[in-house]
Amino acid sequence: KIVNSKAEEGRVMQLDENALLVLRERYLLKDEAGNLLETPDELFRRVASAISRGEDNDPEGRREEMNEAFYQMMANLEFLPNSPTLMNAGRPSGQLAACFVLPVEDSLDSIFESVKLTAKIHQTGGGTGFSFSRLRPKNDFVQSSRGVASGPVSFIRVFNCATEAVKQGGARRGANMGILRIDHPDIEEFVSVKRDPAELTNFNLSVAFTDDFMHAYEEDGEFPLINPRTKEAARTVKARKLLRLIAESAWASGEPGAIFLDAINRANPTPSLGEIEATNPCGEQPLLPYESCCLGSINLSRLVKDGEINWARLSELTHLGVRFLDNVIDVGTYPSGEIRDKTRGNRKVGLGIMGFAHVLIRLGIPYDSPDAARIGDKVMRFIERESKIASNRLAKKRGPFPNFRGSVWDGKNLLQRNATTTTIAPTGTLSLLAGTSSGIEPIFDIRYKRILLGGIEVEVEDPLWREIKDRADAEEKRRQLFRKAYEVPPLVHLNIQRTFQNSVDNAVSKTVNLPETATVDDILQIYLEAHRMGLKGMTVFRNKSRNYQILSCGTQQ
Ligand code: UDP
């Protein structure tokens, strides 16, 4: 239904057909009858104008200049903020963050308070993560009713149903992350529940591993499972048997994923405020209870010209990106006062990149070559360093984040405006909008099907492949450079993840894609290696292990 003039504008802005589809279905303002009320250009104007208002809190704020600079970098598809910012900035909802973590304490009040907040967050397009580790196990004693507890899995179902009912007005499906510690007595039920494809369809599940458990695995030891209510061991299990059970589930259904709690907390910038127990839905953003975070991604692919990365523009975009995201924290509205206060206390932001695979193709470097990791390392080190300089400059004008005293930055004597600055997001939708490869993932295929917005299926042809497919050397280039996710060896996936994690202060969204023929032992090895590498988390996905998958390979050629 996009009228000609809008399609015309799309071409000017280099938006392709899928980008226009996503914009129309999901981002552009509509009236009640579904008529479009804004063009893509007006969307970027709306967002830039709303976010540049954040300059008013800065004694040296430059609202006009930033309005233009923010608009330019979005309209050029060089930088995009996460979806809720694109959808809600300058509109009544005004909720701009994609990532939230909510507490779930061992009481009905706490559980249902979180259900309510979850509904409000999903309504605005945010995703929620929870640790369910504090809930007493199934069949444990309940004082008030003299009955027995139903356990974490049954309460996760409550959150799942609430999510189903809200469905975010069709714009965005509510995404959740449910986390359970490896030492919880209900761990076996938790790691097996999603083998039934009808279960917890609005949840990703991840096991929170501890170094103690990984040690017990290596020693082939017994591992105690602790009742969180009594703090006493309920029973012990063989560590090797438990990890095998988890690998079997991941083999069968792609779930659960893993997070490594000790690695996450070794990097916790504010240890005096408590331990981090959970992440957002896709795992790239560890947060304290009630914290939220806005992500933004630089489209690195736009910065390659004549076989070179434009480092000067990358520096500008990093400084603008941090400033944009810092403004988001002040301009945004929050689902509750607690979320507002916790978020503004640490002012975490997550700047990262998308289009890494396309950069490599443009530079003539295969994804699974040592040069790929070298480029990734150079790029991310650069962004990380510049982002810290940007945050330091902002802190000098706007003040450091309120919890700066006692933080790791205080310890290092480096004034920061934001407790964290970098994150690698999946950029599932943003990358379609920008016409590039997602996050730091290899391309999925040169042509594939993708399910959007819970239903619409689109054929996506890799935009770079489209550019060259009619050339005489296209086939040769494809074989050399268009390395597909399933063709990349697991250790290469992990190594790229580690490369980026080394220069990212939050975490990295990365999937280790495995061919259908991969075994449970292959997956076990990946857990061990990911832990050895000091990664903060890990996700595997074996092709065809779920009958419904968001991405599936198209027919060849
Ligand atoms: N997210 C969500 N619902 C979705 C997709 C994403 O709540 O349907 C949240 C979730 O916290 C995820 C984060 O947004 O980890 C970033 O995802 P992505 O980069 O794919 O989002 P995009 O901004 O591209 O839509």
Side-chain angles (χ1 to χ4, degrees):
K1 241 194 312 164
I2 245 174
V3 293
N4 278 343
S5 66
K6 290 187 177 129
E8 186 59 37
E9 180 183 297
R11 268 196 296 283
V12 171
M13 298 181 74
Q14 314 204 25
L15 296 163
D16 66 22
E17 211 177 297
N18 284 321
L20 289 171
L21 177 73
V22 168
L23 279 165
R24 188 174 58 211
E25 294 298 325
R26 200 159 140 172
Y27 295 95
L28 299 176
L29 268 180
K30 288 180 196 154
D31 66 14
E32 280 181 27
N35 301 309
L36 295 174
L37 296 177
E38 67 182 354
T39 65
D41 189 64
E42 285 162 352
L43 176 151
F44 294 128
R45 288 274 177 214
R46 164 170 61 78
V47 176
S49 158
I51 305 308
S52 61
R53 291 214 172 113
E55 297 289 317
D56 296 354
N57 305 325
D58 180 341
E60 294 169 37
R62 290 176 287 163
R63 181 154 151 194
E64 278 317 305
E65 187 190 332
M66 287 303 130
N67 187 0
E68 195 52 31
F70 292 164
Y71 164 76
Q72 286 296 341
M73 68 178 179
M74 289 187 286
N76 292 341
L77 303 175
E78 292 173 310
F79 165 93
L80 291 172
N82 57 206
S83 292
T85 304
L86 292 176
M87 297 190 281
N88 302 334
R91 298 180 62 189
S93 139
Q95 195 297 104
L96 308 177
C99 311
F100 293 79
V101 163
L102 296 174
V104 182
E105 298 293 339
D106 188 30
S107 76
L108 284 187
D109 272 346
S110 167
I111 293 169
F112 284 89
E113 202 48 53
S114 271
V115 170
K116 176 176 154 191
L117 276 177
T118 300
K120 288 171 78 170
I121 291 166
H122 289 175
Q123 205 174 30
T124 62
T128 36
F130 320 86
S131 165
F132 291 94
S133 304
R134 290 165 185 260
L135 298 188
R136 71 191 68 188
K138 197 171 185 164
N139 297 327
D140 196 30
F141 180 60
V142 179
Q143 173 75 34
S144 55
S145 61
R146 305 262 137 200
V148 293
S150 50
V153 170
S154 74
F155 285 111
I156 301 175
R157 290 197 184 98
V158 174
F159 284 82
N160 190 61
C161 291
T163 303
E164 192 66 30
V166 177
K167 282 287 185 201
Q168 309 192 357
R172 195 157 157 103
R173 235 164 54 107
N176 297 293
M177 170 67 92
I179 286 173
L180 199 69
R181 283 176 64 100
I182 184 76
D183 56 10
H184 193 284
D186 288 5
I187 191 70
E188 288 105 333
E189 182 190 8
F190 176 84
V191 304
S192 312
V193 62
K194 286 204 72 176
R195 290 204 206 180
D196 176 351
E199 278 276 13
L200 304 182
T201 50
N202 301 305
F203 262 86
N204 297 328
L205 299 183
S206 274
V207 174
F209 287 98
T210 58
D211 287 350
D212 279 349
F213 175 83
M214 299 310 284
H215 190 67
Y217 182 91
E218 267 155 38
E219 309 268 283
D220 194 12
E222 291 279 332
F223 184 72
L225 303 182
I226 315 281
N227 180 333
R229 183 178 63 88
T230 62
K231 316 275 184 263
E232 282 165 10
R235 63 197 161 93
T236 62
V237 289
K238 274 197 118 11
R240 292 211 172 161
K241 198 172 157 208
L242 181 52
L243 191 61
R244 177 162 289 274
L245 179 74
I246 294 170
E248 284 167 357
S249 287
W251 183 91
S253 67
E255 298 223 46
I259 66 167
F260 296 108
L261 272 188
D262 295 300
I264 286 176
N265 280 294
R266 276 191 285 275
N268 180 356
T270 57
S272 60
L273 303 183
E275 277 191 21
I276 296 177
E277 298 174 31
T279 70
N280 71 326
C282 304
E284 70 277 13
Q285 190 62 48
L287 292 169
L288 292 164
Y290 292 119
E291 259 190 311
S292 69
C293 184
C294 183
L295 311 179
S297 301
I298 293 172
N299 178 1
L300 200 64
S301 179
R302 281 267 157 175
L303 302 184
V304 180
K305 239 203 175 124
D306 307 326
E308 290 282 345
I309 292 171
N310 183 345
W311 296 98
R313 183 61 180 154
L314 184 56
S315 166
E316 278 169 17
L317 289 172
T318 304
H319 285 258
L320 283 170
V322 169
R323 189 165 183 144
F324 180 106
L325 294 171
D326 188 64
N327 284 1
V328 162
I329 297 169
D330 294 327
V331 171
T333 64
Y334 295 86
S336 81
E338 245 157 337
I339 295 175
R340 180 195 59 220
D341 295 346
K342 288 283 188 302
T343 303
R344 290 190 177 159
N346 287 341
R347 307 191 66 87
K348 285 182 183 169
V349 301
L351 180 68
I353 64 162
M354 58 180 148
F356 180 59
H358 274 188
V359 167
L360 295 177
I361 294 173
R362 286 187 197 281
L363 296 178
I365 298 169
Y367 192 91
D368 52 356
S369 69
D371 278 348
R374 244 193 314 273
I375 298 278
D377 183 58
K378 195 171 165 197
V379 164
M380 206 57 224
R381 251 176 227 282
F382 182 87
I383 294 174
E384 169 64 14
R385 200 184 53 232
E386 293 297 322
S387 73
K388 291 293 178 286
I389 296 171
S391 186
N392 174 259
R393 285 186 190 153
L394 288 176
K396 285 180 183 156
K397 289 186 297 174
R398 304 179 178 187
F401 61 96
N403 298 324
F404 178 78
R405 290 279 156 250
S407 74
V408 297
W409 302 116
D410 188 18
K412 289 183 186 162
N413 233 335
L414 177 63
L415 204 63
Q416 288 286 288
R417 171 75 170 160
N418 314 91
T420 66
T421 55
T422 46
T423 302
I424 302 288
T427 68
T429 320
L430 294 185
S431 60
L432 266 189
L433 199 58
T436 192
S437 57
S438 49
I440 58 163
E441 298 291 359
I443 65 163
F444 191 73
D445 203 340
I446 53 169
R447 222 173 288 125
Y448 61 94
K449 290 205 173 79
R450 201 194 147 93
I451 298 169
L452 286 180
L453 332 162
I456 306 174
E457 196 178 271
V458 292
E459 270 273 332
V460 182
E461 187 168 46
D462 187 86
L464 263 193
W465 172 246
R466 202 167 46 219
E467 270 179 32
I468 69 153
K469 70 177 177 186
D470 296 325
R471 285 185 4 198
D473 62 347
E475 197 42 39
E476 194 191 326
K477 280 258 179 295
R478 186 181 70 77
R479 253 181 291 114
Q480 277 174 356
L481 297 175
F482 287 74
R483 205 66 94 236
K484 300 178 205 169
Y486 291 101
E487 295 169 353
V488 172
L491 278 182
V492 173
H493 280 289
L494 288 180
N495 191 44
I496 292 285
Q497 182 175 342
R498 168 174 55 185
T499 299
F500 279 89
Q501 184 62 74
N502 284 343
S503 301
V504 160
D505 47 20
N506 292 300
V508 171
S509 171
K510 181 85 194 70
T511 301
V512 177
N513 286 98
L514 298 168
E516 199 180 344
T517 52
T519 65
V520 170
D521 279 304
D522 293 338
I523 294 178
L524 268 178
Q525 289 314 312
I526 295 170
Y527 284 111
L528 300 179
E529 193 56 38
H531 178 253
R532 231 174 271 137
M533 286 182 169
L535 301 182
K536 292 181 179 170
M538 199 270 305
T539 307
V540 295
F541 190 78
R542 189 176 61 90
N543 199 15
K544 305 208 174 128
S545 57
R546 245 180 264 167
N547 50 10
Y548 175 90
Q549 63 189 51
I550 300 287
L551 303 175
S552 55
C553 297
T555 42
Q556 291 294 305
Q557 272 78 63

